[in-house]
Amino acid sequence: MKTVLITGATGGIGQALAKTFSKNGFNVVMNYNNNYEKAKELLKEVNGIIIKADVSSEKEVEEMFAIAREKYGKIDVLINNSAIQSIGMLCDQDANDWQKVIDVDLTGAYNTVKCALYDMMYQGGKIINISSIWGQCGASCEVAYSTAKAGLIGFTKALAKEYPNINTNCICPGVIDTEMNGHLSIDLKEELEKEIPMNRFGTPEEVAELALFLAQKGDYILGQVIAINGGMYM
């Protein structure tokens, strides 16, 4: 049985990833940082373990991988899904808030991949980085988030060239119906829907199914940036 490690597993997309991979026969290592209660509830529906770790901490990530390897032997699939936002105009951006977004959303992927390479460098594997439509085209009032997600796209492409035996790819969701977008007003949601040719937000399950395809059948897919956004950005 193969093992997948999912960072940010308690978020909307993270939960869908954990449930989808579990239903399809994977052991699931679910990373969380603050939401222990959600992680504990998720564990009732998923075949796996939960591990607390701040992905921006190299030490905590190393400890997380050590626990996962002790339980399952090796990591076959790594999904970098952890992300935070900092909403507001750049002129009002606090330097600490900026750095935290970069540390979690981008450096977090660096930390996990460094550990995953221990298993995958010679045996192969799958790395799936969850970026964003805003990493492709940018978002007003989300400069830090857009910057980190754009960096994740470049990280994916360079990593794929450096380790072509590891299927490293990037998924760029559009507007997905999750708690992360819960701050949006009803009026703004309606305006966003009008900008989407399919006239609706995506679901976490749709993102999870795409990730599952890459993990199970994407053996000849390498270094790609795959958009799932209802046509909002082409």
Side-chain angles (χ1 to χ4, degrees), residues 157-179:
K157 292 181 177 182
L159 190 67
K161 286 185 176 181
E162 195 163 310
Y163 300 98
N165 64 315
I166 303 171
N167 292 96
T168 302
N169 292 288
C170 187
I171 294 175
C172 288
V175 185
I176 306 299
D177 191 11
T178 65
E179 287 184 14

Side-chain angles (χ1 to χ4, degrees), residues 18-26 45:
K19 293 174 185 178
T20 297
F21 275 76
S22 181
K23 287 176 183 176
N24 284 273
F26 283 78
E45 301 181 58

Side-chain angles (χ1 to χ4, degrees), residues 1 8 18 21 49 51 63 65-67 71 83 88-89 119 152 163 179-180 200 223-224 228:
M1 185 179 290
F21 275 76
I49 58 174
I51 305 177
E63 291 171 351
F65 271 79
I67 294 169
K71 176 70 175 179
M89 299 290 286
D119 293 326
L152 196 56
Y163 300 98
E179 287 184 14
M180 181 174 274
R200 68 173 179 86
Q224 298 305 302
I228 177 168

Side-chain angles (χ1 to χ4, degrees), residues 111-140:
N111 288 334
T112 59
V113 167
K114 280 288 292 289
C115 289
L117 287 176
Y118 177 86
D119 293 326
M120 298 181 182
M121 192 180 300
Y122 302 108
Q123 302 176 55
K126 304 288 177 68
I127 296 174
I128 302 166
N129 295 320
I130 308 297
S131 181
S132 169
I133 186 174
W134 308 131
Q136 294 179 292
C137 65
S140 176

Side-chain angles (χ1 to χ4, degrees), residues 71-154:
K71 176 70 175 179
Y72 295 120
K74 69 183 179 74
I75 303 301
D76 301 287
V77 181
L78 167 65
I79 304 180
N80 282 306
N81 176 65
S82 288
I84 60 173
Q85 293 172 302
S86 180
I87 309 295
M89 299 290 286
L90 183 64
C91 60
D92 299 321
Q93 182 85 60
D94 181 272
N96 291 327
D97 291 338
W98 165 276
Q99 192 61 52
K100 185 62 176 175
V101 172
I102 301 299
D103 288 346
V104 172
D105 297 11
L106 184 55
T107 305
Y110 161 82
N111 288 334
T112 59
V113 167
K114 280 288 292 289
C115 289
L117 287 176
Y118 177 86
D119 293 326
M120 298 181 182
M121 192 180 300
Y122 302 108
Q123 302 176 55
K126 304 288 177 68
I127 296 174
I128 302 166
N129 295 320
I130 308 297
S131 181
S132 169
I133 186 174
W134 308 131
Q136 294 179 292
C137 65
S140 176
C141 296
E142 292 191 67
V143 175
Y145 182 78
S146 298
T147 300
K149 291 300 187 178
L152 196 56
I153 291 172

